[in-house]
Amino acid sequence: VQSKGVFALWVSTLAIIAFMAYYYLLAGLVADFAMLLNLLFIVASMALIDAAFTLPGLAGLVLSAGMAVDANVLIYERIREELQRGASLRMAIHNGFEKAFTAIFDSNLTTLITAVILYWIGTDQVKGFAVSLFIGLVMNLFTAVFVSRVILEVLERSRSIKTLKMQSWIGFTNIDFVAMQNPAIIASSVFVLIGLGVFISRGSDNYDIDFTGGTMISMQFK
């Protein structure tokens, strides 16, 4: 089970690295560097506080990697919009990071609150997930927002890059998403209520050993 967890971590991390490098090109490589730095900081922090990795902790590590590049995706798409409006690269980088920071901070803050609650009321298995996720999110605000910005600004000021080329699979869209907010709210509320109904109807079947208590042993005979 441990080897499968580590294998899943490697596969997911390499898949994220490959996609970001292919879709965002140079900017994607910067995001990959920030993500790897984020993972390094997580492991170093876990070693500093003598925290051991559990299998759920590895899941928290993978989730932190995903959220690290998610922050860069928000920033890069904002930079793309600024460049399409005719802004200079320096201004596009500045506005991209500044205007995307609020959304990044809000998403990380709400997830941090969830991680704190999981650590507070969870079992040891769940606490391992909460610790790695919490550290990853805190480090993400440094690596994805600060480190990535410093690298791009250094490249721009040294004239190493004149623009940021990125893939564009969808292209230009003109969809008024704000006009669809009321139907979206109604649809989301319906799905949430259905999910709560199914959860309540299942009762104790919703919970595995992490919540019901006890000990699970896996044995392999040769």
Side-chain angles (χ1 to χ4, degrees):
V1 177
Q2 181 183 7
S3 60
K4 290 182 178 179
V6 175
F7 179 72
L9 174 62
W10 277 109
V11 171
S12 58
T13 302
L14 292 176
I16 292 172
I17 291 174
F19 173 79
M20 292 297 293
Y22 174 76
Y23 193 80
Y24 290 104
L25 305 178
L26 176 62
L29 294 177
V30 174
D32 288 338
F33 174 77
M35 183 197 68
L36 294 175
L37 191 63
N38 184 28
L39 295 178
L40 176 63
F41 284 163
I42 296 173
V43 175
S45 299
M46 296 283 284
L48 181 64
I49 62 176
D50 293 327
F53 274 112
T54 61
L55 287 177
L58 292 178
L61 200 62
V62 174
L63 181 58
S64 298
M67 294 195 68
V69 295
D70 176 67
N72 284 116
V73 168
L74 292 175
I75 293 168
Y76 293 161
E77 291 301 325
R78 190 72 191 191
I79 291 176
R80 187 205 300 272
E81 292 178 0
E82 295 292 328
L83 291 174
Q84 289 174 346
R85 293 173 183 172
S88 65
L89 180 58
R90 180 174 300 185
M91 186 59 65
I93 293 174
H94 177 271
N95 290 341
F97 280 90
E98 290 293 329
K99 295 181 179 180
F101 178 76
T102 302
I104 296 171
F105 182 78
D106 286 347
S107 62
N108 280 267
L109 180 61
T110 52
T111 312
L112 280 173
I113 294 173
T114 303
V116 170
I117 295 174
L118 286 174
Y119 184 83
W120 181 36
I121 66 175
T123 60
D124 290 338
Q125 295 281 342
V126 179
K127 286 182 178 179
F129 173 80
V131 169
S132 61
L133 179 60
F134 184 92
I135 296 175
L137 291 172
V138 173
M139 296 302 173
N140 180 39
L141 289 174
F142 172 72
T143 57
V145 177
F146 178 73
V147 174
S148 297
R149 181 171 186 171
V150 169
I151 294 174
L152 290 178
E153 287 185 346
V154 168
L155 291 175
E156 189 278 328
R157 293 178 185 275
S158 64
R159 304 298 181 183
S160 300
I161 56 174
K162 296 181 179 180
T163 186
L164 282 177
K165 296 182 179 180
M166 307 174 190
Q167 300 277 3
S168 182
W169 293 347
I170 298 177
F172 181 76
T173 59
N174 189 21
I175 302 175
D176 189 2
F177 290 101
V178 178
M180 297 184 288
Q181 61 179 337
N182 291 331
I185 292 173
I186 294 173
S188 299
S189 301
V190 170
F191 281 113
V192 169
L193 291 175
I194 292 174
L196 287 175
V198 173
F199 180 82
I200 294 173
S201 64
R202 290 189 63 196
S204 60
D205 292 337
N206 290 297
Y207 305 106
D208 200 356
I209 190 171
D210 292 335
F211 291 94
T212 57
T215 303
M216 181 171 58
I217 300 176
S218 177
M219 304 179 68
Q220 183 177 359
F221 296 94
K222 294 184 179 180

